[in-house]
Amino acid sequence: MNTRKNRAGSLVIGLAATGFAAIGLAAPAAAAEPPQQAVAHADLDGDGTPETVTLTMIGDGTQQLTADVGGRQIQATMPGDDFAGAQPIRVTDLNADGRAELVITKSVGANTLTFDAWDYDGEFRRLGTPDGQPLDLYEGGGVAARVGYTCEATPAGRALVTLGSEADDVGADPLTYTGARTAYTLQDGVLTPAATVPFTSVAPTDPLVSTDPAACA
């Protein structure tokens, strides 16, 4: 018997077994931590110089928006999604007046994002409707709905346009959607409804159920 050869073979088998055991016992990779901060640059006061804006998760479903404007720090707290973390700040100009508005993600659902919109008027101010209620924006909806926002040129200037629609029958082929698009004009932190366009049973490819948030930049 070739003892050296047998020992070598045993060593190879032993190392292989040890390697497989190590692989089997390896700890799974840790899940990535949600982002705790997002940073953007936005001209909040319309002076032509962008301010640095920071969004920070502070826990318990709350996040804080911070900026330095004219050497003075301003802050506002708002709802946030602890599980998703601080999402990118969307810098917009909803009425094309040269003063930026900020669209902030407050909830990340399975199919839909929910946002707040804020501007600067000496302090951060959440945009709302004439009745004093905040206006939430949405994006997504999945198969059962089409929701979103965009901006469009109108005779009165740029308008924020929201889309809300639901599938007539999620099991139908082809799918169709029924809902409405509403245009809002922004002035002094108030989003006033200017026009509503209802639609019925339109195809998923119809422009009426299409939105482009980048059009608000």
Side-chain angles (χ1 to χ4, degrees), residues 20-153:
F20 286 128
I23 292 171
L25 294 173
E33 290 292 326
Q36 297 303 301
Q37 194 171 84
V39 178
H41 300 282
D43 186 1
L44 298 173
D45 56 4
D47 67 353
T49 301
E51 283 75 37
T52 298
V53 184
T54 304
L55 183 67
T56 305
M57 292 300 304
I58 57 178
D60 295 326
T62 304
Q63 53 191 348
Q64 185 174 72
L65 191 63
T66 304
D68 190 304
V69 183
R72 187 174 68 90
Q73 188 179 79
I74 59 171
Q75 294 180 335
T77 57
M78 58 203 64
D81 191 319
D82 289 327
F83 183 78
Q87 298 297 296
I89 301 167
R90 299 187 178 188
V91 179
T92 67
D93 189 352
L94 301 178
N95 56 1
D97 67 349
R99 299 165 63 95
E101 291 82 40
L102 308 174
V103 175
I104 306 296
T105 306
K106 70 175 185 178
S107 176
V108 178
N111 298 307
T112 305
L113 302 176
T114 305
F115 309 93
D116 287 334
W118 296 74
D119 72 356
Y120 169 76
D121 182 36
E123 303 290 344
F124 281 124
R125 171 177 60 184
R126 185 178 179 183
L127 304 185
T129 50
D131 59 2
Q133 296 301 307
L135 179 68
D136 285 339
L137 301 176
Y138 303 94
E139 184 175 272
V143 175
R146 288 288 183 90
V147 295
Y149 72 92
T150 189
C151 287
E152 296 177 356

